[in-house]
Amino acid sequence: SKSFSLDEPAQPELMDEDEPFLSNLDIFLFSLIAGLIVYWLIFRKKVEPIPEFKKLESVFIDKMKKTGKNIVVFYGSQTGTAEEFSNRLAKDAHRYGMKGMSADPEEYDMSELSRLPEIENSLAIFCMATYGEGDPTDNSQDFYDWLQEGDADFTGVKYTVFALGNKTYEHYNAMGKYVDQRLAELGAQRIFDLGMGDDDGNLEEDFVSWREQFWPAVCEHFGVEATGEESSIRQYELKVHSDLNMNKIYTGELGRLKSFENQKPPFDSKNPFLAPVTVNRKLNKAGDRHLMHLELDITGSKIRYESGDHVAVYPINDSVIVNRIGEVLGVDLDTVISLNNLDEESNKKHPFPCPTTYRTALTHYLDITNPPRTNVLYELAQYATDPTEQENMRKMASSSPEGKALYQSWVLDSCRNILAILEDFPSLRPPIDHLCELLPRLQARYYSIASSSKVHPDSIHICAVVVEYETKTGRVNKGVATNWLKSKMPTDNGHKATVPMYIRKSQFRLPFKSSNPVIMVGPGTGIAPFMGFVQERGWLKEQGKEVGETVLYYGCRHKNEDFLYQEELDEFEKTGVLTALNVAFSRDQADKVYVQHLLKKNKEAVWRLVHTDNAHIYICGDARNMARDVQNAFYEIAEELGGLSRAQAVDYIKKLMTKGRYSQDVWS
């Protein structure tokens, strides 16, 4: 959350004493202005407040005292998982005779943490995700800045941290590690070891295993015993509306009611802009995949972006799955409902915008395509009337080795979503409101912007591959966002296809000095941000700026099938905007050739650019294999041509990262 202040207007100079204070013209203008002001004050249209997301009461300690809570679980969450885990931990507390609340650090004054010892048997838990290159999530940025600058005294504060990250990334769980270490430095007492969740492996299992050991340690520390209450406790109660005015019902908006019909800047995650789709074309010439290029029109939105930023889009679920869930559960999906928090003091009044219909909730607000986490299975198990099915659901949610193995194979490896689980457990027919309470929120999807705002100020380009695959159960799973985007055709019959979107700033930036050379490595859709970079370098050239060497390493399967943006790239090379275009076609010959092979082949030129000419290196695309292989190629080049040992080469590249000369925009 940024705050802006407007400068005070300059004070007028004092007048000469012998000038008349007001001439006739002055009096006329003064009266006119006064009249206009009065008219404006009386007749102006009341401005609607922008989203109802106010800074909530900042003193969480007082709130905890008022509601008898002794455990607070803060979350740093970008895609909702840390928030989900934090809700689960807050809910767990009641099993141990304690009371917990889940809290967004952005909504509270975190310096209050030093007052936590005022509450008996109190504990702060932090579920902290790491985003991007070791960065804090958007909602924990202020807390992170404050921790770095602050010198609070947390003596007597008891805490523990569970970190969420991904091992394929360079800065694995950096944020969780930092919070864990910094709180200890400020005098807080760690009562249980830092938990490390790895989303490249099985994040759910990491969390469940940590939690199984964490709660007994808490009980021992505070001398309390588990109450043995394993029953499912509802957080929300259902209210069915029979005669509500249609104008009061949410139809997919995320913040302010009717914000899609009545758009008002500024646009952000709570108030996305509905951008019309102006272009949607298939990029690949052949092959069984569908790679696409979309252009979103942001004219008049006041949205600004830079090359390297991400565009976030809010997709909607496939109506076929939504209808089928309604069918299986025998529910009228158009029933208007609200789910109201039973804890009236909670900041979170509803699990998603209410009042709304089940259809809208399942279409716009809930994640119905990802395999459900174990807590969902655990809570739903009570509704399975077949004892074997109920037992299997409870087993998968347990921490026993066979339970974990069953969850891994039957849910995760088989990619079963909630509908597949309902279909394959015919006796499981939960009330739909409880299902809606338990499912996580549908999240925005981030894409690297494939354009430069210098060249396309009113347009944002997306390059993506449509996700579709067959699962082990023979079902076809389709990626929510890419299949939805694929269907967004610019139409001329009066109805424009639109995409709810906002911009997320990134650190992935061209060098400040345009004369610095750049080496860009981006196979597949990893080409996206580099289309923006190359467009921008071309624009800088046209402005008469000195532009350094611009080198691209791109890779695809077959030259004649999926060479994305081939015509544009050839043109950039022809005009000299691209100094060198190196393309690896992995499957056009017997031995697979990838970008890292081309880097090593051109090692002398690469080393000269990096070591002598101050080049900036950019990597975009797959984190699991490509980014690691490319980094190893740079290590090898530094060893061979810089005469360094492996350890020195690693250190050399790490220093480039620290200086902002080796940047990654990767996903797994």
Side-chain angles (χ1 to χ4, degrees):
S1 52
K2 305 266 190 292
S3 59
F4 298 93
S5 67
L6 296 168
D7 289 334
E8 296 275 324
Q11 296 299 315
E13 289 180 27
L14 295 172
M15 303 166 78
D16 280 353
E17 279 171 31
D18 52 358
E19 280 184 35
F21 186 68
L22 291 172
S23 68
N24 288 344
L25 181 64
D26 288 336
I27 291 167
F28 169 72
L29 288 171
F30 180 78
S31 311
L32 184 67
I33 290 165
L36 286 169
I37 288 171
V38 169
Y39 175 83
W40 182 76
L41 285 170
I42 295 170
F43 295 106
R44 70 191 167 134
K45 182 171 177 282
K46 289 282 180 282
V47 179
E48 266 188 73
I50 287 183
E52 293 114 46
F53 283 80
K54 300 175 275 301
K55 198 80 165 159
L56 296 147
E57 65 258 66
S58 55
V59 187
F60 64 88
I61 298 294
D62 295 352
K63 183 170 182 171
M64 288 174 75
K65 288 178 176 175
K66 188 173 155 192
T67 56
K69 307 272 198 318
N70 63 329
I71 291 181
V72 57
V73 194
F74 290 105
Y75 57 86
S77 189
Q78 193 69 32
T79 60
T81 312
E83 182 179 358
E84 227 182 293
F85 286 1
S86 129
N87 286 332
R88 285 163 70 176
L89 289 167
K91 218 168 161 183
D92 277 346
H94 79 270
R95 292 185 187 154
Y96 302 92
M98 306 188 210
K99 284 183 83 178
M101 67 178 254
S102 172
D104 180 345
E106 200 170 35
E107 291 178 354
Y108 294 102
D109 174 1
M110 294 302 284
S111 63
E112 289 287 319
L113 195 57
S114 56
R115 287 181 52 206
L116 193 62
E118 293 173 17
I119 297 170
E120 199 185 349
N121 281 359
S122 59
L123 169 67
I125 307 173
F126 293 84
C127 290
M128 304 307 285
T130 300
Y131 188 72
E133 295 301 294
D135 305 316
T137 58
D138 293 350
N139 79 312
S140 56
Q141 183 70 53
D142 292 349
F143 174 48
Y144 174 71
D145 294 342
W146 178 79
L147 275 180
Q148 284 193 304
E149 294 152 17
D151 50 356
D153 179 7
F154 287 154
T155 308
V157 173
K158 295 172 176 179
Y159 79 95
T160 188
V161 179
F162 183 81
L164 296 84
N166 187 312
K167 265 213 178 86
T168 59
Y169 288 68
E170 184 69 32
H171 306 276
Y172 175 51
N173 274 331
M175 188 60 191
K177 290 173 185 168
Y178 175 75
V179 170
D180 181 59
Q181 167 212 326
R182 186 70 181 133
L183 290 174
E185 285 169 6
L186 295 171
Q189 180 190 354
R190 181 190 297 113
I191 69 154
F192 191 68
D193 290 341
L194 167 69
M196 299 276 268
D198 174 22
D199 201 25
D200 186 46
N202 183 339
L203 184 59
E204 174 70 13
E205 188 177 313
D206 295 337
F207 175 66
V208 169
S209 303
W210 177 82
R211 178 173 151 233
E212 293 292 324
Q213 295 172 310
F214 163 69
W215 283 115
V218 171
C219 291
E220 195 177 324
H221 185 88
F222 291 121
V224 294
E225 279 185 33
T227 57
E229 274 187 58
E230 286 291 310
S231 65
S232 157
I233 290 192
R234 292 290 300 263
Q235 246 178 310
Y236 299 91
E237 67 178 344
L238 171 67
K239 180 168 174 34
V240 177
H241 305 279
S242 50
D243 50 359
L244 204 57
N245 179 337
M246 287 309 284
N247 288 329
K248 300 274 186 284
I249 300 169
Y250 280 89
T251 56
E253 310 93 322
L254 293 140
R256 181 171 52 87
L257 193 63
K258 297 281 169 268
S259 59
F260 284 174
E261 289 166 33
N262 181 5
Q263 294 242 286
K264 293 198 174 87
F267 296 106
D268 56 26
S269 62
K270 301 284 193 297
N271 181 37
F273 176 66
L274 292 181
V277 176
T278 53
V279 175
N280 181 351
R281 63 185 170 94
K282 187 176 177 182
L283 285 171
N284 50 321
K285 302 177 187 70
D288 51 5
R289 295 183 304 161
H290 183 101
L291 294 126
M292 57 192 173
H293 169 88
L294 284 96
E295 298 184 11
L296 309 179
D297 184 2
I298 54 168
T299 308
S301 67
K302 297 193 167 65
I303 289 173
R304 301 270 171 274
Y305 75 95
E306 297 289 328
S307 309
D309 283 343
H310 295 144
V311 57
V313 306
Y314 282 106
I316 64 172
N317 287 311
D318 185 344
S319 60
V320 174
I321 303 177
V322 173
N323 290 333
R324 182 82 184 111
I325 290 174
E327 219 174 276
V328 168
L329 296 179
V331 176
D332 174 5
L333 293 177
D334 296 309
T335 309
V336 179
I337 56 123
S338 288
L339 285 176
N340 300 323
N341 203 323
L342 290 161
D343 174 0
E344 284 165 10
E345 294 294 328
S346 173
N347 286 345
K348 198 173 179 183
K349 301 298 176 207
H350 315 283
F352 43 77
C354 290
T356 189
T357 64
Y358 287 128
R359 184 182 306 283
T360 301
L362 292 169
T363 306
H364 290 267
Y365 299 138
L366 297 171
D367 180 345
I368 58 176
T369 55
N370 269 314
R373 297 195 182 279
T374 57
N375 63 307
V376 177
L377 301 180
Y378 178 82
E379 302 249 352
L380 292 181
Q382 59 183 315
Y383 300 114
T385 51
D386 177 324
T388 317
E389 289 179 6
Q390 187 173 101
E391 190 195 338
N392 275 330
M393 288 182 76
R394 289 199 196 281
K395 189 191 278 181
M396 285 190 281
S398 76
S399 54
S400 70
E402 56 273 27
K404 285 177 178 174
L406 187 60
Y407 175 72
Q408 180 70 47
S409 65
W410 199 82
V411 178
L412 298 181
D413 297 344
S414 305
C415 306
R416 275 184 171 88
N417 59 27
I418 190 64
L419 174 58
I421 288 171
L422 291 170
E423 287 175 339
D424 294 346
F425 283 154
S427 86
L428 175 65
R429 294 296 176 258
I432 191 167
D433 61 296
H434 199 177
L435 181 68
C436 289
E437 172 179 321
L438 292 169
L439 289 173
R441 284 290 295 267
L442 182 60
Q443 299 293 329
R445 303 325 203 233
Y446 297 101
Y447 296 96
S448 305
I449 297 177
S451 52
S452 161
S453 57
K454 301 285 189 287
V455 183
H456 299 283
D458 293 325
S459 175
I460 283 175
H461 300 184
I462 293 176
C463 166
V465 57
V466 176
V467 176
E468 190 172 311
Y469 56 93
E470 190 172 320
T471 72
K472 288 181 176 172
T473 65
R475 294 177 171 93
V476 173
N477 276 10
K478 295 178 172 186
V480 176
T482 53
N483 281 278
W484 169 76
L485 283 171
K486 180 185 174 185
S487 70
K488 291 275 172 187
M489 286 298 168
T491 48
D492 293 321
N493 56 3
H495 182 73
K496 279 193 170 133
T498 58
V499 168
M501 53 74 69
Y502 65 94
I503 297 297
R504 188 177 193 279
K505 296 279 168 217
S506 86
Q507 305 296 316
F508 204 67
R509 288 280 181 268
L510 276 169
F512 182 68
K513 280 170 64 182
S514 61
S515 55
N516 279 98
V518 298
I519 298 172
M520 304 169 287
V521 185
T525 55
I527 184 76
F530 303 136
M531 291 307 292
F533 279 14
V534 176
Q535 287 171 13
E536 190 142 326
R537 300 277 274 190
W539 179 84
L540 287 163
K541 250 187 138 131
E542 281 171 17
Q543 301 300 302
K545 296 270 194 307
E546 184 197 338
V547 177
E549 287 188 46
T550 306
V551 178
L552 175 65
Y553 284 85
Y554 171 66
C556 61
R557 294 176 183 181
H558 301 283
K559 182 172 186 174
N560 298 327
E561 271 186 21
D562 54 353
F563 188 164
L564 307 184
Y565 300 111
Q566 183 176 359
E567 293 75 17
E568 292 93 322
L569 292 172
D570 285 345
E571 186 59 28
F572 280 129
E573 191 181 28
K574 209 158 61 196
T575 54
V577 174
L578 264 180
T579 324
L581 172 60
N582 306 284
V583 188
F585 303 107
S586 60
R587 302 182 185 182
D588 275 350
Q589 60 285 309
D591 295 330
K592 290 197 173 167
V593 175
Y594 294 117
V595 281
Q596 62 269 23
H597 300 130
L598 297 188
L599 280 165
K600 284 196 282 204
K601 192 174 136 198
N602 300 337
K603 58 190 176 194
E604 284 84 5
V606 170
W607 182 246
R608 172 183 58 79
L609 285 171
V610 174
H611 192 62
T612 315
D613 301 342
N614 254 341
H616 286 230
I617 300 164
Y618 302 91
I619 321 278
C620 181
D622 163 58
R624 189 176 284 112
N625 301 308
M626 184 277 298
R628 200 182 50 222
D629 293 342
V630 165
Q631 201 162 318
N632 283 329
F634 278 109
Y635 292 158
E636 287 168 28
I637 292 169
E639 279 179 86
E640 199 180 325
L641 294 166
L644 307 175
S645 68
R646 184 62 168 204
Q648 289 170 320
V650 169
D651 190 48
Y652 182 93
I653 299 299
K654 295 270 191 287
K655 280 205 173 75
L656 291 182
M657 289 177 178
T658 313
K659 289 183 195 151
R661 278 183 53 203
Y662 190 110
S663 308
Q664 303 193 80
D665 175 7
V666 292
W667 53 83
S668 75

